[in-house]
Amino acid sequence: MFLITNIIGLLIFLAIAILFSKNRKNVKWKSIIVMVAINLVLSWFLTDFSVGRQIVLGAANGFNQLVQIAYTGIAFALPSMVHVKQMDFFVSVLLPILMIIPLFDILTYVGILPWIIKWVGRGLAKITGQPKFESFFAVEMMFLGNTEALAISGLQLRKMSKERNLTLAMMSMSCVTASIVGAYTQMMPGQYVLTAIPINIINAIIVSNILNPVSVPESEDTIATIGEADEENGENTNNKKEPFFSFLGDSIIGAGKLILIIAANVIAFVALAALVDKLLGIINPWLSLEHILGIIMFPFAWLMGVDTSTAFEFAQYMGTKLVTNEFVVMGQITKTVHTFSAHYQAILTVFLTSFANFSTVGMIIGAFKGLVNQEKNDHIAKNVGYMILAGILVSLLSAATVGLFVW
């Protein structure tokens, strides 16, 4: 009975995405069906075979080493803020951008990154049926994080249409950062954390392309390179590369500006959410965004194939995660999660393993403000509801998909 409910839930979550699609006639149904099938096979492989999880863990460790190198530079300037028991969000998540952006910009400058994107993206595009850059971006953000993946893609974002920018913004709601994957696995069942990461990415492609289907002609499915005209910024109009160290200096300064923009947006979004909670508390002390969202999420939690009491508890965790972040919930249940049933462990862990929450919206909007023009910024800002919906649907789909194979 619970398995049948889980299957129905998976279909309903897909139906919700179809219901809210901006243009159902433009959805590439064949590629959607293929990706759903791939996710089912991948979920089975990752839950039943340890080798799959080891591959994901190896990739996570590789990206984590990159972040650790960035911490070396941060520690030189701010030694009291690095390698402490609890690093601040600004230090642990944002400051590594100061190294990561210039590194990837250098790879773009010498032509390595565009070549990788072209060929990896081409291979993934054949599988997913999506444009080359969107396919590569999905893998890139799997461990690099939303702001970092967006930041190193600035040249490409400025070249793409506002509709394609919105697709990337929606996908960015469902990523994680390699540097905190280890923390996740210490707090929650590690096998489900590692399973969730690639499942989230494919579901991010599925959901964003149902909600916001965009037709990309072959002539526009290209990869930007240094030296092309960047009309949005009025740069490189003569199609010549600027001197390397001038280019590197601009990259570092741009990274610094971007960090400040993202930080400002995150602070504002989190503070505004807290203000709403205070105002709701005046009406009734029980009222909060977490509790309201918990009630709204109850039917979706039940559709995961759990009993009513478990569904109510699960829904409250969902609401808390969406308003605050996944670490708040993980901290609450880390000592008891191993006493839950295997199915509940799996769906709860997978749902929590992503950055899909309100503060992430601020991070993404802040990133785009520092990277693209006003028209594209406005288009993304007008579709914040779609970004939040995409993040929630990806988490629900991933949890339901993995839940099918764990009982």
Side-chain angles (χ1 to χ4, degrees), residues 223-241:
I223 306 302
T225 58
I226 299 293
E228 292 183 1
D230 187 357
E231 296 177 0
E232 224 170 84
N233 279 354
E235 297 173 354
N236 293 324
T237 53
N238 58 358
N239 287 349
K240 292 182 179 179
K241 288 184 180 180

Side-chain angles (χ1 to χ4, degrees), residues 97-99 101-103 105-106 245-259:
I97 290 176
L98 284 171
M99 189 208 76
I101 291 180
L103 171 63
D105 278 349
I106 291 170
F245 285 103
S246 173
F247 161 80
L248 182 59
D250 289 342
S251 175
I252 294 170
I253 292 171
K257 291 179 179 178
L258 182 61
I259 288 171

Side-chain angles (χ1 to χ4, degrees), residues 103-296:
L103 171 63
F104 280 83
D105 278 349
I106 291 170
L107 294 176
T108 301
Y109 186 91
V110 299
I112 294 175
L113 187 59
W115 184 86
I116 293 173
I117 295 173
K118 177 182 177 180
W119 291 104
V120 174
R122 179 175 293 179
L124 292 171
K126 289 186 180 297
I127 298 172
T128 64
Q130 303 306 315
K132 289 194 287 288
F133 184 78
E134 281 86 332
S135 299
F136 180 81
F137 183 82
V139 176
E140 189 176 49
M141 75 169 189
M142 188 186 298
F143 299 109
L144 198 54
N146 44 28
T147 51
E148 292 89 341
L150 289 170
I152 65 177
S153 306
L155 188 62
Q156 187 75 34
L157 295 176
R158 291 190 287 274
K159 184 178 179 180
M160 293 161 58
S161 67
K162 62 183 181 182
E163 291 80 14
R164 291 179 71 187
N165 272 253
L166 176 59
T167 294
L168 298 182
M170 293 164 66
M171 290 170 63
S172 297
M173 289 292 295
S174 302
C175 72
V176 297
T177 300
S179 60
I180 63 174
V181 170
Y184 284 165
T185 58
Q186 292 297 312
M187 301 174 76
M188 302 294 288
Q191 68 269 35
Y192 302 132
V193 170
L194 296 173
T195 298
I197 295 170
I199 301 300
N200 278 344
I201 297 310
I202 296 178
N203 278 326
I205 300 175
I206 292 171
V207 169
S208 62
N209 283 280
I210 293 177
L211 291 176
N212 184 49
V214 180
S215 294
V216 181
E218 186 66 28
S219 59
E220 294 181 15
D221 190 12
T222 56
I223 306 302
T225 58
I226 299 293
E228 292 183 1
D230 187 357
E231 296 177 0
E232 224 170 84
N233 279 354
E235 297 173 354
N236 293 324
T237 53
N238 58 358
N239 287 349
K240 292 182 179 179
K241 288 184 180 180
E242 63 180 310
F244 174 76
F245 285 103
S246 173
F247 161 80
L248 182 59
D250 289 342
S251 175
I252 294 170
I253 292 171
K257 291 179 179 178
L258 182 61
I259 288 171
L260 295 177
I261 292 171
I262 294 170
N265 276 269
V266 172
I267 291 169
F269 269 75
V270 172
L272 287 171
L275 176 61
V276 172
D277 267 351
K278 286 289 186 183
L279 295 175
L280 290 172
I282 294 173
I283 300 172
N284 187 309
W286 181 87
L287 277 179
S288 68
L289 286 174
E290 292 95 328
H291 287 143
I292 292 172
L293 283 171
I295 294 171
I296 294 172

Side-chain angles (χ1 to χ4, degrees), residues 17-167:
I18 294 169
L19 177 66
F20 286 94
S21 175
K22 288 176 173 286
N23 185 0
R24 284 186 284 274
K25 294 180 180 179
N26 207 25
V27 176
K28 296 180 179 179
W29 296 111
K30 182 179 178 181
S31 68
I32 296 298
I33 293 170
V34 169
M35 285 187 286
V36 170
I38 290 172
N39 242 3
L40 289 171
V41 173
L42 189 59
S43 295
W44 169 72
F45 177 67
L46 292 174
T47 52
D48 284 14
F49 299 92
S50 61
V51 63
R53 295 190 294 272
Q54 290 302 316
I55 293 171
V56 177
L57 181 60
N61 287 338
F63 281 97
N64 187 47
Q65 287 301 312
L66 183 64
V67 175
Q68 293 302 320
I69 293 170
Y71 287 157
T72 303
I74 299 168
F76 179 79
L78 303 167
S80 62
M81 296 185 181
V82 181
H83 304 308
V84 294
K85 185 175 182 181
Q86 183 66 50
M87 278 197 289
D88 293 334
F89 164 81
F90 186 81
V91 176
S92 64
V93 177
L94 295 186
L95 286 186
I97 290 176
L98 284 171
M99 189 208 76
I100 292 171
I101 291 180
L103 171 63
F104 280 83
D105 278 349
I106 291 170
L107 294 176
T108 301
Y109 186 91
V110 299
I112 294 175
L113 187 59
W115 184 86
I116 293 173
I117 295 173
K118 177 182 177 180
W119 291 104
V120 174
R122 179 175 293 179
L124 292 171
K126 289 186 180 297
I127 298 172
T128 64
Q130 303 306 315
K132 289 194 287 288
F133 184 78
E134 281 86 332
S135 299
F136 180 81
F137 183 82
V139 176
E140 189 176 49
M141 75 169 189
M142 188 186 298
F143 299 109
L144 198 54
N146 44 28
T147 51
E148 292 89 341
L150 289 170
I152 65 177
S153 306
L155 188 62
Q156 187 75 34
L157 295 176
R158 291 190 287 274
K159 184 178 179 180
M160 293 161 58
S161 67
K162 62 183 181 182
E163 291 80 14
R164 291 179 71 187
N165 272 253
L166 176 59
T167 294

